Amino acid sequence: MKNLSEILVWKQNFGLLPIHLKPTINDFSYVMLNGGYGDFCLQTVKDNTTETEYYSKSWSSNTKNFVVLDKEKIKIYNWQKDKPEIISQKDVADNFSKFYTYLLSKTVRTPRDVVPFITDIFRRFRNLTLEKKSPVEALNLLFILLTTLEEDYVNFDFAKWNIDAVNIPSGFDNYVDRIKKGIINVAPDFDLIIRHSAGVLFQEAQKEVLYFDPQIDLWGNPSSKIDTSAALYSSIHYTPPYIARTIVENVLRKLDLSKHTLKIFDPACGSAEFLIEVLKQLKELNYEGSVEIIGWDSSPTAINTSKFLLAYEKRIVWNNRLNFEIDLVNDSLTQHWSNDYDLILMNPPFVSWELLKNKDDQSAVRETLGNNFIGKPNQASAFFYKAIQHINQEGVLGCVIPSSILTLDAYKNLRAATNDLLTIAFIAKLGNFVFEDALTDVTIFIGQKPKINIIPTILWASNEKGVAQNALRDFRKMTYSNELAVDEKKYSLYQPVSFPLIRDSWKPISLNENELLKTIERFVKEKKLVRIEDVFNVSLGIRQGAKNIFKINESEYEQMPLNEKKYFRLVIDNDAINDATLFKKQYIWYPYYKAGMIFKSEDELAVNASTFYKKVLKPNETILKNRKDKVVLTNWWGHTRPGNWQFEKGAKLVSTEFGKSNSFAFDKTGEFVVERGNAWLPRNKFSDGDYFFYLALFSSSFFDKLLSIYSKQLLSGWDLGKKHTKEIPIPNVHSEDIKNSIGYIKLVEKGKELSMGNSYIKPVLNDLIIKYFYPHI
């Protein structure tokens, strides 16, 4: 039977991080942390703690359950219930994984939890202070209110708590009474709220108020109703606790904790999520040295929160062994960074170049990156590169970055420079469901100096809500148990044989995909397969420069005069293709012939296409003339980028812009022009059979696997453009061995059937493709 009194047993089986409830008391009481959902309190040795205290501790630490080992029994104190639930230790030990599932079933979030309880009060303060954007005064009132759980506010010591002076409003005693009462007779524990719940408030504090509610309740208190929106890019996206926790755990394993002093820096510190987390874990590891912390942020609310939390941490836990300096800065990139940081932790601003409105901000990004970028960089990439340069020679970097840094050609030089300076230890691509306020594809990166040749651990997670949290919990279990790999359907953790996995990219892929990749790349080296870029020139379609002015539906086309119909072509867009079938849904104005634009003057246009000119073109003349993209625009009535490769009709494979294996078709007659999509133009002459061969290949679920490995994943599928498909290995129909094979003949037959609408043959495609062209897979 498992010895449940051993904390290691809980760590290894549940993948949770145990932190002592009271850091200054080395007892047997822990909060088992994952990142919010699934957390619980645990006491492995029963003491004199009362039921009321168990309820208070679990509620205040933002959990539901306090699990207590009591002789041969386990008692579960859930603050929502009147009595503890009692289960035998043997039953729990024999069904340990089910026990955690059972606890999860009892952790549903409710409005009575500590965070919504405190948030409700904070919102009332915001209605009181009427701070639209940066609620510094409201936050200070909240912090003062929280301290009343420990001391009287009448002669409040602002310096002790590191809070700026604020006027206490009338009726403040009502709030004091409310917070001391807590909920359903569960009294708040100040220390646990500060250490485990307060940081979440930063996310609420960063929201901009759209409408205040002037109503007063029966007791004379302001309403808690306000309409808010997330103030994106005011600082950073709030770092979820499970992300900060995982990064800190793993960077501390790489730090030399025998050093007398650790210098830790976060240049975009927010509410000190990383900084508080690293202090918690250093204390748990019994670090005996001193800690120097530097944090910067552009948000006053973030700075106030950080100062308050760190001042408490210093006074209660670290005393003279902690020094911190938290500063409000406009742009951390323009500040002077030291070169002696032992550890940099950060979740930098994920701000695209287009949203960097200030030219000084753009200049700071450019100057920081130097030659390590092509085009228009995301601000986060500059923070990333600067951090690498400013950790000391044994320093460690743990951060969150946009996943685009891993794959885009624009960051190729940055990846190369990083690889020269840093040992890459861990890369985890977590997808689009990490930040609550943005669908940004997120990656965890951990690296250290000096540069040595080791292979990083890779985490791949499918792009689905909730998967990242489970994957990181399994990463913790894998580390505790010293396992080599985790291979689940929705995520993988492993150390590959070599890195990068894909040429000129740091893209993580699943363990199964990695095995497939190794085999396929061997075929390329043996010249059995070639790259897509060797066979096709994948070309983008038309760019109108103005949304849908030139497009008409089938009924509008039929009503068009016969002499004008010749200036329209059927259009390929995201709705025109499904399962190798082309749908004649829309037409697009396309007045071009072999030599280019048909109409050389507006007068000629008005005479020969009078109906469309009068109804559509002339009324939209101003819009069309003012289009931003005028690179190849010589006539305002034409497309900004018409794609001269499609001036003449010709057979071509086509695809949507984004999609998967059901997003390809064969335009045999060339009657379609590609707009929101791609044309797959052969570099050397194709027969009809060649087109049908590749139509069958690209329409297979096996090709989806190749896209998953080589292309960029989006919410709607994969990017089917040239940049992200060029490396995919495929058979070459110009090879005599391929052309004369039975596999070629069979795939051509299947391609013909697909083009006639018979999608029922798709299940057999994989067997044919693997048997004849990708054997031993």
Side-chain angles (χ1 to χ4, degrees), residues 115-270:
V115 170
F117 175 81
I118 296 176
T119 299
D120 179 86
I121 297 174
F122 174 65
R123 286 179 163 230
R124 292 177 189 273
F125 286 151
R126 289 200 76 170
N127 268 322
L128 188 66
T129 63
L130 298 178
E131 294 166 288
K132 189 176 178 66
K133 286 189 176 180
S134 185
V136 173
E137 187 179 356
L139 264 180
N140 286 346
L141 287 174
L142 180 65
F143 295 150
I144 293 169
L145 179 65
L146 290 172
T147 67
T148 63
L149 295 171
E150 284 206 342
E151 58 186 45
D152 195 336
Y153 74 89
V154 175
N155 296 308
F156 188 77
D157 188 341
F158 289 97
K160 170 185 172 182
W161 293 97
N162 210 359
I163 297 175
D164 294 334
V166 62
N167 293 323
I168 307 296
S170 60
F172 196 71
D173 285 336
N174 293 333
Y175 298 106
V176 174
D177 290 341
R178 182 180 176 190
I179 198 166
K180 286 184 176 180
K181 287 178 182 176
I183 52 102
I184 56 170
N185 296 319
V186 176
D189 183 309
F190 174 75
D191 180 75
L192 294 178
I193 289 175
I194 291 298
R195 291 179 58 76
H196 297 292
S197 302
V200 182
L201 287 168
F202 172 64
Q203 191 173 20
E204 176 69 23
Q206 282 301 103
K207 294 177 181 177
E208 179 179 347
V209 176
L210 302 176
Y211 301 103
F212 293 102
D213 186 346
Q215 299 297 318
I216 302 296
D217 65 20
L218 291 174
W219 295 272
N221 297 317
S223 167
S224 64
K225 295 178 181 178
I226 54 175
D227 290 333
T228 62
S229 67
L232 301 182
Y233 306 115
S234 60
S235 178
I236 59 173
H237 300 301
Y238 173 74
T239 310
Y242 72 95
I243 297 290
R245 187 157 297 128
T246 297
I247 291 175
V248 169
E249 281 178 85
N250 288 279
V251 296
L252 289 183
R253 291 192 182 97
K254 302 184 181 308
L255 273 182
D256 180 5
L257 297 184
S258 66
K259 293 185 69 171
H260 296 300
T261 302
L262 291 175
K263 189 174 183 179
I264 301 171
F265 177 46
D266 185 343
C269 67

Side-chain angles (χ1 to χ4, degrees), residues 735-749:
S735 161
E736 290 298 321
D737 290 340
I738 299 293
K739 201 68 169 268
N740 296 325
S741 70
I742 296 174
Y744 174 85
I745 295 170
K746 288 182 178 291
L747 275 194
V748 169
E749 292 173 355

Side-chain angles (χ1 to χ4, degrees), residues 33 93 142 188 198 220 248 250 311 425 544 656 668 719 743:
L33 295 169
L142 180 65
V248 169
N250 288 279
Q544 300 180 58
T656 56
K668 185 175 181 180
D719 189 325

Side-chain angles (χ1 to χ4, degrees), residues 89-100:
Q89 279 201 41
K90 184 178 185 306
D91 287 344
V92 170
D94 291 345
N95 301 276
F96 210 36
S97 60
K98 290 182 179 179
F99 178 66
Y100 185 58

